[in-house]
Amino acid sequence: MTSADSSVFETTRPASADYLTRLVASDAGRDYKGRMLDALDLRAGLAVLDVGCGPGTDLPALAEAVAPGGTVIGVDRDQEMLDGAAARTAAHPCVELRRGDLHALPLDDAVVDRARTDRVLQHVDDPARALAEFHRVLRPGGRLVMGEPDWDTLAVDHPDPALSRAYTRHITEQVVRNAAIGRQLARLATGAGFRVPEVMPVTQVFRDVRSADRVFGFERTTRRAVGAGYLTEAQAAEWLDHLAHGPFLASATLYVVVAEA
């Protein structure tokens, strides 16, 4: 399968750190991340945990919000990500970085006031166990803020709706481990012992195919859909041709969920 227009679609998957960095800089990223930061209700002196902190794109804002006297702990299982986070937060001595897994956090019980995780639970082996870990490390009355997409809500306009449905079904069934995690967060958090006072759906709408492709990787994902039998070569070519040259609209909903220990 060849690209409908090689100038439109990225053909090479970006490095994870690059992808996360540019997501922060996008309009969609700024929107929901701003809501997550507001929901954390940070103030000076608090200890806040960022699990799956990646290259540290959100850590400086957290550090500024808890200064003076606060602490920010970034946890990630990837040392390369932590190295990037260390460079990004060199001017913030209140930031601590620890290598560890979300299913077994490298923290004692009841040691943080706030915690966040952003687009991480969609990929983990056991979201319920991860939420139990958050509950363990939060102090009584502490707050957890999570941001996760619901990939079933991905809608891409196309003259043949069946192609759009097949594309989204491939993502939910084959690409993302916990594709419906956004809608499940409130239930899972309640099961882990949290109270869930607020759920905020954030629908991101894309009118420019290039901007959307930087998030969704249309051609790369379409190749995988053909290999998995969700689209034929001819359908894939028709699908990508319209995305590249026709009027474009896509949307997806991410849920920001507030949970209190």
Side-chain angles (χ1 to χ4, degrees):
M1 185 182 70
T2 58
S3 171
D5 188 335
S6 59
S7 68
V8 171
F9 302 114
E10 288 186 336
T11 56
T12 303
R13 181 182 178 88
S16 295
D18 293 339
Y19 177 83
L20 293 170
T21 299
R22 74 189 191 188
L23 179 64
V24 173
S26 69
D27 290 340
R30 284 193 295 266
D31 181 18
Y32 86 85
K33 285 177 178 289
R35 298 191 192 201
M36 289 185 68
L37 185 61
D38 290 343
L40 279 169
D41 189 27
L42 298 177
R43 59 182 181 274
L46 293 183
V48 57
L49 171 67
D50 185 7
V51 175
C53 66
T57 50
D58 298 299
L59 296 177
L62 300 177
E64 291 167 7
V66 299
T71 302
V72 177
I73 303 169
V75 174
D76 203 280
R77 65 181 183 178
D78 186 324
Q79 187 60 50
E80 185 176 349
M81 288 287 193
L82 290 173
D83 292 344
R88 184 171 271 109
T89 59
H92 300 280
C94 71
V95 175
E96 303 175 13
L97 298 172
R98 303 183 188 181
R99 188 172 184 179
D101 186 82
L102 191 151
H103 300 91
L105 291 171
L107 288 90
D108 293 333
D109 296 352
V111 291
V112 296
D113 304 292
R114 302 285 189 271
R116 75 183 294 279
T117 187
D118 182 352
R119 300 173 65 93
V120 173
L121 295 173
Q122 63 180 318
H123 302 301
V124 303
D125 293 334
D126 190 344
R129 181 179 168 193
L131 282 163
E133 276 292 278
F134 275 117
H135 195 274
R136 178 183 67 79
V137 302
L138 277 163
R139 295 186 176 112
R143 174 173 291 194
L144 167 65
V145 177
M146 302 169 281
E148 294 289 343
D150 186 326
W151 286 100
D152 267 332
T153 68
L154 174 61
V156 184
D157 180 51
H158 193 278
D160 185 348
L163 300 186
S164 294
R165 286 193 290 268
Y167 179 85
T168 297
R169 193 171 71 254
H170 169 247
I171 292 175
T172 60
E173 295 177 357
Q174 300 292 330
V175 178
V176 182
R177 175 174 288 164
N178 306 308
I181 189 67
R183 80 184 73 164
Q184 297 166 352
L185 285 175
R187 170 172 54 82
L188 293 173
T190 300
F194 287 98
R195 187 177 73 88
V196 181
E198 190 170 14
V199 176
M200 294 177 279
V202 182
T203 299
Q204 301 162 332
V205 177
F206 300 86
R207 300 290 304 278
D208 176 71
V209 66
R210 289 174 177 83
S211 297
D213 187 58
R214 288 168 65 85
V215 176
F216 300 116
F218 286 120
E219 184 179 31
R220 298 189 305 276
T221 306
T222 299
R223 282 200 211 105
R224 294 175 66 180
V226 170
Y230 286 79
L231 295 168
T232 66
E233 291 277 359
Q235 288 172 328
E238 178 186 353
W239 161 257
L240 289 173
D241 182 70
H242 179 78
L243 297 191
H245 301 294
F248 180 82
L249 186 143
S251 66
T253 298
L254 176 144
Y255 289 91
V256 174
V257 176
V258 179
E260 295 180 345

